[in-house]
Amino acid sequence: MMREELILEIDGLAHPGLLSIEYSFDGKGALLKVVAGVHEQKGALTKKGSEAVLKALLPGGGAETIVTGRVRRTYGDEAKPALRRFLQIESKACDAVECAADGRKHGYNLKKQKLGAAADTLFKPYGIKVKVEADSREMDIAWAPGERAFDVVEERARKTGLLMTGASDGGVVLYKGTRGRHPGSFIVGDDRDDANATTLQFEDSEIGQFSQTHYYGQRYKGGKGKDETDGYAIVENEAIRRLRIDIRRMEHDGDDADLKQRAEWDDRRGAGGDAGNGTQIVLATPEWRDPDGRLWSAGFVRYVVAGDFELEQDMTIKSGQLSWSKEHQLARLTMVDPRSLGGKDAKGKSGEAWKVSTKKAKYEELS
């Protein structure tokens, strides 16, 4: 096992009293979060709003930045000594999540922009970078004064099947489906000599899943034809063996391609169990990294072998909580069917319960 050596810098200086770290990430959340246990000195208490950078020392020299953020809150525990405190840290993208999208220069309307460019425009005043791994078609984006910058972008991301997660520089990553692969496998089972992880939780649920998902279009523009989409896009999920219909309306204008894309996106997530967690396994491993040295990351796939659950296939890291102290370290990873994050049907040898493939959406015009 590779032991991590961590440094927490506050306003550019290493904190001398670092005792513990709880670092968490989410494939569907823009923020990386850290709770740092520290021992403080009188007259040198960490102030809210301070810049905080969590780094890991590398075996070959140098350091890797894990989180760049702000100290949002400091607090103590009555059962601990007065100077034993906790620092609640969130990546810098917290400003985009909480602050308004300032549209005074743009008339609260961005014309014919891809979502990545729009996010950059709205987040840039707050010093937040946007890494675009996948993008949308060009669209018009209008919003009302007072809407949060992140909400403006995230609502359109849902329409186009895009997700946002946090980046180590404090910014956000715009992505779709699988971002990459962690080499190797997680193997669990008391009867396995080669087991390298333990199962904390397993769940398979149909809650929030439907046999058919219908998307009802709003009028896209005047005129006749398929751009005037008061129509339906319909997609079926064979994993649900009885009739369960979900009908939704697009949040914004869209053409037939938008409708089909959105219906397929929601059905794919439903087949993976996004609405009710579906096929989900929570694993624990003492390692924070894969064999290539990459930290476990949201949206990355790894093969999982869990014979007790007839589960043997690619699974995607949906979220993680990595804990560290000078005596102990552990990674808790929530793994889901890749379709839960918009990925492709999983490859593997799982039992028949997990082998239902997703379908393409059909488009129908209403008379």
Side-chain angles (χ1 to χ4, degrees):
M1 182 187 74
M2 176 181 171
R3 285 280 301 164
E4 300 291 334
E5 294 186 57
L6 302 183
I7 297 174
L8 179 63
E9 294 181 353
I10 303 295
D11 289 335
L13 299 176
H15 195 295
L18 180 61
L19 301 174
S20 65
I21 287 290
E22 291 283 345
Y23 158 57
S24 60
F25 58 84
D26 191 329
K28 297 172 64 179
L31 303 183
L32 304 179
K33 300 179 180 181
V34 172
V35 175
V38 297
H39 188 277
E40 305 255 59
Q41 301 293 325
K42 287 184 177 181
L45 300 181
T46 300
K47 297 178 175 59
K48 63 183 180 183
S50 299
E51 183 178 78
V53 181
L54 178 64
K55 296 181 178 180
L57 297 180
L58 299 176
E64 176 185 4
T65 297
I66 300 175
V67 180
T68 304
R70 298 286 179 187
V71 177
R72 308 302 312 284
R73 173 173 172 250
T74 69
Y75 59 97
D77 186 333
E78 63 180 11
K80 305 290 184 182
L83 294 176
R84 172 71 161 87
R85 296 159 62 84
F86 295 94
L87 310 180
Q88 179 180 320
I89 299 164
E90 292 177 341
S91 53
K92 289 184 175 181
C94 64
D95 289 340
V97 172
E98 296 182 4
C99 298
D102 189 356
R104 292 173 295 173
K105 293 182 180 179
H106 318 288
Y108 293 92
N109 195 346
L110 299 175
K111 295 286 189 180
K112 295 189 180 301
Q113 287 200 13
K114 293 185 178 181
L115 197 58
D120 185 67
T121 298
L122 297 178
F123 294 177
K124 192 172 183 178
Y126 299 112
I128 298 165
K129 297 179 181 179
V130 179
K131 181 181 179 181
V132 179
E133 294 182 353
D135 214 341
S136 69
R137 299 192 298 169
E138 289 185 347
M139 64 178 76
D140 295 341
I141 300 176
W143 68 98
E147 288 190 58
R148 308 298 99 178
F150 176 78
D151 291 344
V152 172
V153 176
E154 196 272 337
E155 186 175 326
R156 278 75 181 178
R158 289 200 307 268
K159 172 184 172 181
T160 55
L162 298 173
L163 294 168
M164 283 186 284
T165 190
S168 61
D169 63 1
V172 298
V173 179
L174 193 65
Y175 76 101
K176 185 175 186 176
T178 299
R179 299 178 59 205
R181 173 176 290 276
H182 288 300
S185 305
F186 286 124
I187 301 172
V188 298
D190 294 337
D191 59 341
R192 297 289 299 250
D193 294 334
D194 55 350
N196 58 9
T198 56
T199 305
L200 300 180
Q201 179 184 343
F202 177 80
E203 180 176 346
D204 185 46
S205 170
E206 70 155 18
I207 297 171
Q209 298 184 40
F210 299 91
S211 61
Q212 295 181 15
T213 301
H214 300 196
Y215 256 96
Y216 181 59
Q218 297 192 50
R219 197 166 296 277
Y220 182 66
K221 63 183 180 181
K224 297 181 179 180
K226 291 187 177 181
D227 284 337
E228 191 178 330
T229 49
D230 285 337
Y232 271 95
I234 302 174
V235 68
E236 298 178 353
N237 177 7
E238 292 180 351
I240 305 302
R241 297 176 176 85
R242 64 189 187 279
L243 184 64
R244 284 174 53 84
I245 297 175
D246 187 26
I247 300 177
R248 303 186 184 187
R249 177 180 281 274
M250 290 279 283
E251 297 92 335
H252 301 282
D253 293 346
D255 59 16
D256 60 328
D258 291 328
L259 282 170
K260 287 191 288 186
Q261 182 182 54
R262 183 60 191 274
E264 287 174 13
W265 163 242
D266 272 7
D267 184 68
R268 184 169 292 279
R269 291 193 305 167
D274 179 71
N277 292 328
T279 305
Q280 172 175 290
I281 189 166
V282 182
L283 302 177
T285 173
E287 300 287 353
W288 274 34
R289 301 173 184 270
D290 68 23
D292 289 346
R294 175 186 283 274
L295 287 165
W296 305 126
S297 302
F300 274 67
V301 163
R302 200 176 202 217
Y303 202 74
V304 174
V305 179
D308 290 346
F309 309 111
E310 297 184 4
L311 183 67
E312 184 176 344
Q313 65 178 58
D314 284 342
M315 297 285 277
T316 299
I317 299 176
K318 178 182 179 182
S319 61
Q321 183 182 59
L322 282 58
S323 59
W324 172 92
S325 69
K326 294 181 179 179
E327 299 80 27
H328 176 75
Q329 73 178 37
L330 188 71
R332 299 175 181 87
L333 304 175
T334 299
M335 312 285 292
V336 295
D337 186 301
R339 292 173 292 182
S340 291
L341 298 181
K344 296 181 179 180
D345 296 359
K347 295 180 180 180
K349 304 176 183 178
S350 289
E352 292 299 324
W354 323 127
K355 288 187 177 180
V356 179
S357 60
T358 48
K359 291 187 173 183
K360 293 288 186 181
K362 299 178 292 183
Y363 177 78
E364 296 181 6
E365 288 284 349
L366 292 184
S367 57

